[in-house]
Amino acid sequence: MNAKQLIAPAAALLAAAAVLLAACAALSGAAQRSGEAARNEIMSYMLPSRPASFTEEAYDGEDESIRRVFKAEDGYVLEVETAGYAAPMTLWVGVTNDGSVSGVTVRDHGETFGLGRGAQTDASFLLQFLHTSGEAAVGEDIDALTGATVTSKAVTRAVNSAAAFVTGADVSSGATEWEG
């Protein structure tokens, strides 16, 4: 095959690549806006007033488990990462301005199927955290998931961290410490 025969296919490949790059650049903004809208929709269910919008606030506090802070008029939704049994867990925790937990959702985890994975889907487990205020403890006011005590304590730590942020509790108070 000579060089003249390769020019047309190479030009077609370059043109296709340019079109794909342009489309990707044009759609990335739409994908980001769509992702933010979906995030706001989920977070709105985590506060009593179902706010339509949130403002992300910078967080540079002592609690290393708090990843992101979103503020609404009547409270906060915090993204908290904690060490689970099998892998890190990411939770969103809604906390009203008075420090009362109003919503908990497990966003990402790598917990054991059939045991710790229930932290994401077991409504009765998650409902135990509602109206707590940073002092929840497994074995006292929180019943652990059967066979998943470490996961249950991880979720409890995350929820306590979020509430401690809103109430201004000192992270050295033990509200966010590992409970064994």
Side-chain angles (χ1 to χ4, degrees):
M1 206 176 241
N2 64 34
K4 286 183 179 182
Q5 292 175 322
L6 293 176
I7 291 175
L13 285 173
L14 286 174
V19 168
L20 288 174
L21 285 174
C24 182
L27 294 176
S28 68
Q32 183 178 357
R33 286 188 302 276
S34 176
E36 288 173 8
R39 180 191 71 213
N40 281 344
E41 176 72 17
I42 293 168
M43 288 191 316
S44 73
Y45 285 99
M46 301 187 77
L47 291 172
S49 69
R50 298 231 25 239
S53 65
F54 292 84
T55 304
E56 186 167 3
E57 295 186 348
Y59 177 73
D60 58 359
E62 295 178 44
D63 192 335
E64 295 177 1
S65 65
I66 296 176
R67 298 290 182 239
R68 298 172 81 184
V69 176
F70 298 93
K71 173 77 174 117
E73 188 174 314
D74 63 336
Y76 296 83
V77 174
L78 294 98
E79 181 177 287
V80 184
E81 184 176 295
T82 187
Y85 174 74
M89 300 177 71
T90 302
L91 291 86
W92 284 354
V93 182
V95 183
T96 61
N97 286 331
D98 67 359
S100 178
V101 175
S102 57
V104 178
T105 185
V106 178
R107 298 293 298 161
D108 189 31
H109 67 88
E111 298 303 276
T112 309
F113 183 77
L115 297 171
R117 190 157 290 190
Q120 186 173 32
T121 58
D122 189 328
S124 62
F125 171 70
L126 294 173
L127 286 172
Q128 296 177 92
F129 294 100
L130 296 182
H131 309 293
T132 62
S133 58
E135 301 297 325
V138 173
E140 293 176 25
D141 37 6
I142 303 297
D143 292 329
L145 292 163
T146 302
T149 304
V150 172
T151 301
S152 301
K153 288 182 177 184
V155 172
T156 303
R157 274 193 321 277
V159 171
N160 286 345
S161 289
F165 166 82
V166 175
T167 62
D170 183 2
V171 292
S172 64
S173 69
T176 61
E177 291 177 7
W178 173 246
E179 299 169 1

